[in-house]
Structure formats: structure tokens, C-alpha cells
Amino acid sequence: MRLTVLDKNFDAIGVIPLFRTLIWTRRYEKPGEFGLYASNEYFELLNRGRYLYRNDADELGVIDWVNYVQDTNGSREAYAKGNFAEYLLYDKVIYPTAILDGNVETGMRELVNLYAINPDAAERKIKHLRLGELSGIDETIKIQITGANLSEKLYDIGNSMELSHRVRYDFLTNDLAFEVWRGKDRRDSQTENSWAVFSNAFYNIRNVVYNRCGASYKNYAYVAGAGEGAARIVVEVDMRTVPDEERKEIFVDARDLQQQDSNGNPIPLDVYKAQLVQRGREKLAEYRIVETVESGIDPFANLVYKKDFDLGDYCTYINTEINVETDKRITEVMETYEGGATEIAVTFGTNEVSTIRQLIKSPANKCQ
């Protein structure tokens, strides 16, 4: 691993060959982040830098905070932290109104193009950002957006369809590529990809803690759009997994969704109702069941990080002792490099849905 500090123009201004600790947290449903503890001799470099580049990772760190500490014993240390490049989109809002009707991947790319790559006002453009390769995702979407934060809306759309997006950095071409993507299905119920099954039967899990809570769970939404009183347009969104599941309802006020486009032309009723349905799906995604399984994983067992499983992959977790079997997506991977060793904490599901935290310790290696 080689860490290079870049300035605001993406020009390299120095390297950090040695450090005490690097925490590199990759996420699927929200921007990732990093934290770096290094010798005080690198404080000036970090303080002048804007980006932190790892030659063995696609993610690019955006340096948001730099700290210098001297304790009572005279020990000095520099610290820097920030988010990954996806967070650059957080500085943009969706205005004027955007209406998407068609392929969801194409639509998400269109949002980034309109408000961050080729906006009407040149000052809104994010330097070095371009559209990357298509992933071939075929779901469709009908949505109307006004004034939303670009980053948050992209994650809202993705979370409602189990998609994600990323901004890859290429050091050689010096550009940022926006891509929509979805992890691989590695559940034991499919045959397309190799399985990633975490189970006590395979001796690759340990130290299990299981929790489940459905107190905030909702599965049915009434979404009210334009109109007044009895004339108000209301759609119902049913996210129950089985017909006899108990109905848990919420009301969503979507009056901000207008029944006309930015040019004043009326939106067909079926299209408008589809936009309301999408709003309901996004809101219900905030009220999912919390299921938590915390478990350690044997680092010398049968599954290898980034080869047999990775961020975004759908995997199977089985614990025969407590009769729990669940399929969940990897939504976070926290890589910690310290003292010549690597630790990786993996989260399955989300804090709002389900969380399976695994601890994987690899043999010692050099952080260089």
C-alpha cells in the first residue's frame, strides 16, 4: 500500500510511506470514510492536501479535517479524516426540477450529469468528474425531484432498489468516474456465482450475538400528492413480503410533487402516480426491521475477502445453534491497518434493517 497526498487540482504533493493507523471504511448505502494517524512530520503535508490516494484501492479520500496533537509526554501525532469521493456530490442540490422516467441507472447518471458534470452554471461543475462504464442494471423508475441534496437522493433511490453508486479515482488519467452498481449474489440459493456462506457448520463464525427488533417497522404507505380534500391524489404502496403479513402503515405527504413538469406541461396521471409510488418506496426503506447478528470469523477458514466476498455482495449467514438463517447484503467493510497487521470488520445489512458484524483478522503485513 502506498499513500499519496494530492492537492485540490489532483496533483501529487507528497507521500506517506509509514503511519501508525489507517481506518478505511467502505460503505454501500452511504458515503464511506477514512481516518489516518501518522507521525507529526506529515502534518504539514496533510494540512496542505485535499485528497488521500491509495494505490491499491478504487476509493479516493477527501481530507475534511486535519488535527495535530502533542500530549503531556511530548509525543506528537498528526491525524486526518474525511469521506470518500462520493461525498463530493453532497455539495450539489437538484434544482431546477428533475423528472426521470425510464431506466434507473440511466436516470441516476443523468442526475449527476445535469447537476455536477455539465450543469447550466459552470460554477456547479465538479472538476475531473465524468460518467463511468454502464453496469447494465435494468430496473426502471418514475420520479420527480426538486431541491433535494444530490448525494442523499442518489442513495435514497439506490436503497429503495438495493443499488449503490461510487466515484472511482484513476491516478493515471487523473479523473473521477461515476458509476451505478450492484454487488454479486452469493447466496446459497443461486448458481450464477460462488457461494459465500458464513456458518458455524463451516467453522468460520464465532462469538455470536443476535438481536432483532421490529418496533419501527412499517410496510404499507399512503402517499398523498397534489390536490385538496377528496380530490387529492393518493396512492397506496404495499411492501409486505407475504399476503397475510400484519399491515403497519404510514402516511407520506408528497405535496411537493407537482402534476406538471418544469415547462408547465401536465404530467399524465399514471406517470404521476408512479412518481408517488417511488416516494413511498423510499420512505418505507427508512422503516425496516432491525436484525442484528454480531459474529467473529476465522481468518484461516474458507472465505477470502475481495475474492470470495466483497462490499455489496449478498451472502448467507447460518447459525444452527440458535436456528437463525438469513440472507443479507454486505453494506460496510471497515479495514484497519495498524502495527503491521490488518483487521477487517464486515457489516451485513444496515443499521435500520439488519446488521451482521464480522471481525476478520489477517496475518501481519507491512503497511507500505
Side-chain angles (χ1 to χ4, degrees), residues 99-101 141-144 233-235 259 266-278:
I99 296 179
L100 307 181
D101 184 358
I141 190 173
K142 296 180 186 295
I143 191 171
Q144 178 186 149
I233 300 174
V234 179
V235 301
Q259 205 176 356
I267 296 175
L269 183 59
D270 61 332
V271 174
Y272 183 68
K273 286 185 175 181
Q275 295 175 356
L276 294 175
V277 169
Q278 175 60 26

Coordinates of all heavy atoms in Angstrom, one line a residue, residues 99-101 141-144 233-235 259 266-278:
I99 N -37.1 15.3 -13.7 CA -38.1 14.2 -13.8 C -37.5 13.1 -14.6 O -37.0 13.2 -15.7 CB -39.4 14.8 -14.6 CG1 -40.1 15.8 -13.8 CG2 -40.3 13.6 -14.9 CD1 -41.3 16.4 -14.4
L100 N -37.4 11.9 -13.9 CA -36.8 10.7 -14.5 C -37.9 9.7 -14.8 O -38.8 9.5 -14.0 CB -35.8 10.1 -13.6 CG -34.7 11.0 -13.0 CD1 -33.8 10.2 -12.1 CD2 -33.9 11.6 -14.1
D101 N -37.9 9.2 -16.0 CA -38.9 8.2 -16.4 C -38.2 7.2 -17.4 O -38.1 7.4 -18.6 CB -40.1 8.9 -17.2 CG -41.2 8.0 -17.5 OD1 -41.1 6.8 -17.3 OD2 -42.2 8.5 -18.1
I141 N -37.6 3.5 -13.3 CA -38.0 4.4 -12.2 C -38.8 5.6 -12.8 O -38.5 6.0 -14.0 CB -36.8 4.9 -11.4 CG1 -37.3 5.7 -10.2 CG2 -35.9 5.8 -12.3 CD1 -36.1 6.1 -9.3
K142 N -39.8 6.0 -12.1 CA -40.5 7.3 -12.4 C -40.5 8.1 -11.2 O -41.0 7.8 -10.1 CB -42.0 7.0 -12.8 CG -42.1 6.2 -14.1 CD -43.6 5.9 -14.4 CE -43.8 5.0 -15.6 NZ -43.3 5.6 -16.8
I143 N -39.8 9.3 -11.3 CA -39.6 10.1 -10.1 C -39.5 11.6 -10.5 O -39.0 11.9 -11.6 CB -38.3 9.6 -9.3 CG1 -38.2 10.3 -8.0 CG2 -37.1 9.9 -10.2 CD1 -37.1 9.7 -7.1
Q144 N -39.9 12.4 -9.5 CA -39.8 13.9 -9.7 C -39.1 14.4 -8.5 O -39.4 14.1 -7.3 CB -41.2 14.5 -9.8 CG -41.3 16.0 -9.9 CD -42.7 16.5 -9.9 OE1 -42.9 17.6 -9.4 NE2 -43.7 15.8 -10.3
I233 N -54.8 13.5 -4.9 CA -54.3 12.2 -5.5 C -53.5 11.4 -4.4 O -52.5 11.9 -3.9 CB -53.4 12.4 -6.7 CG1 -54.2 13.2 -7.8 CG2 -52.9 11.1 -7.3 CD1 -53.4 13.6 -9.0
V234 N -54.0 10.2 -4.1 CA -53.4 9.3 -3.1 C -53.1 7.9 -3.7 O -54.0 7.4 -4.4 CB -54.3 9.2 -1.9 CG1 -53.6 8.3 -0.8 CG2 -54.6 10.6 -1.3
V235 N -51.9 7.4 -3.5 CA -51.6 6.1 -3.9 C -51.3 5.2 -2.7 O -50.9 5.8 -1.6 CB -50.5 6.0 -4.9 CG1 -50.8 6.8 -6.2 CG2 -49.2 6.5 -4.3
Q259 N -48.0 18.1 -10.4 CA -48.6 17.3 -11.5 C -48.3 18.0 -12.8 O -49.1 17.9 -13.8 CB -50.1 17.1 -11.3 CG -50.6 15.9 -12.0 CD -52.0 15.6 -11.8 OE1 -52.7 16.3 -11.0 NE2 -52.6 14.6 -12.4
P266 N -48.7 19.3 -18.3 CA -49.3 18.4 -17.4 C -48.6 17.0 -17.5 O -48.2 16.6 -18.6 CB -50.8 18.3 -17.8 CG -50.8 18.7 -19.2 CD -49.7 19.8 -19.3
I267 N -48.4 16.4 -16.3 CA -47.9 15.0 -16.3 C -49.0 14.0 -16.3 O -49.9 14.1 -15.5 CB -47.0 14.8 -15.0 CG1 -45.8 15.8 -15.0 CG2 -46.5 13.4 -14.9 CD1 -45.0 15.8 -13.7
P268 N -49.0 13.0 -17.2 CA -50.1 12.0 -17.2 C -50.3 11.4 -15.9 O -49.3 11.2 -15.1 CB -49.5 11.0 -18.2 CG -48.6 11.8 -19.1 CD -47.9 12.8 -18.2
L269 N -51.6 11.1 -15.6 CA -51.9 10.6 -14.2 C -51.2 9.4 -13.9 O -50.7 9.2 -12.7 CB -53.4 10.4 -14.1 CG -53.9 10.0 -12.8 CD1 -53.6 11.0 -11.7 CD2 -55.5 9.7 -12.8
D270 N -51.0 8.4 -14.8 CA -50.3 7.2 -14.5 C -48.9 7.4 -14.2 O -48.3 6.7 -13.3 CB -50.5 6.1 -15.6 CG -49.9 6.6 -16.9 OD1 -49.8 7.9 -17.1 OD2 -49.5 5.8 -17.7
V271 N -48.2 8.3 -14.9 CA -46.8 8.7 -14.6 C -46.7 9.3 -13.2 O -45.8 9.0 -12.4 CB -46.3 9.6 -15.7 CG1 -44.9 10.0 -15.3 CG2 -46.3 8.8 -17.0
Y272 N -47.6 10.3 -12.9 CA -47.6 11.0 -11.7 C -47.8 10.0 -10.5 O -47.1 10.1 -9.5 CB -48.7 12.0 -11.6 CG -48.7 12.9 -10.4 CD1 -47.6 13.7 -10.1 CD2 -49.7 12.8 -9.4 CE1 -47.6 14.5 -8.9 CE2 -49.7 13.5 -8.3 CZ -48.6 14.4 -8.0 OH -48.6 15.1 -6.9
K273 N -48.7 9.1 -10.6 CA -48.9 8.1 -9.6 C -47.7 7.2 -9.4 O -47.4 6.8 -8.3 CB -50.2 7.2 -9.9 CG -51.5 7.9 -9.7 CD -52.7 7.0 -9.9 CE -54.0 7.6 -9.6 NZ -55.1 6.7 -9.8
A274 N -47.0 6.9 -10.5 CA -45.8 6.1 -10.4 C -44.7 6.9 -9.6 O -43.9 6.3 -8.8 CB -45.2 5.7 -11.7
Q275 N -44.7 8.2 -9.8 CA -43.8 9.0 -9.0 C -44.1 9.0 -7.5 O -43.2 8.9 -6.7 CB -43.8 10.5 -9.5 CG -43.3 10.7 -10.9 CD -43.5 12.1 -11.4 OE1 -44.0 12.9 -10.8 NE2 -43.0 12.3 -12.6
L276 N -45.4 9.0 -7.2 CA -45.8 8.9 -5.8 C -45.4 7.5 -5.2 O -45.0 7.5 -4.0 CB -47.3 9.1 -5.7 CG -47.8 10.5 -6.0 CD1 -49.3 10.6 -6.0 CD2 -47.2 11.6 -5.1
V277 N -45.6 6.5 -6.0 CA -45.2 5.2 -5.5 C -43.7 5.1 -5.2 O -43.3 4.6 -4.1 CB -45.5 4.1 -6.6 CG1 -44.9 2.7 -6.2 CG2 -47.0 3.9 -6.7
Q278 N -42.9 5.7 -6.0 CA -41.4 5.7 -5.8 C -41.1 6.5 -4.5 O -40.3 6.0 -3.7 CB -40.7 6.4 -6.9 CG -39.2 6.5 -6.7 CD -38.4 5.2 -6.5 OE1 -38.9 4.2 -6.9 NE2 -37.3 5.3 -5.7

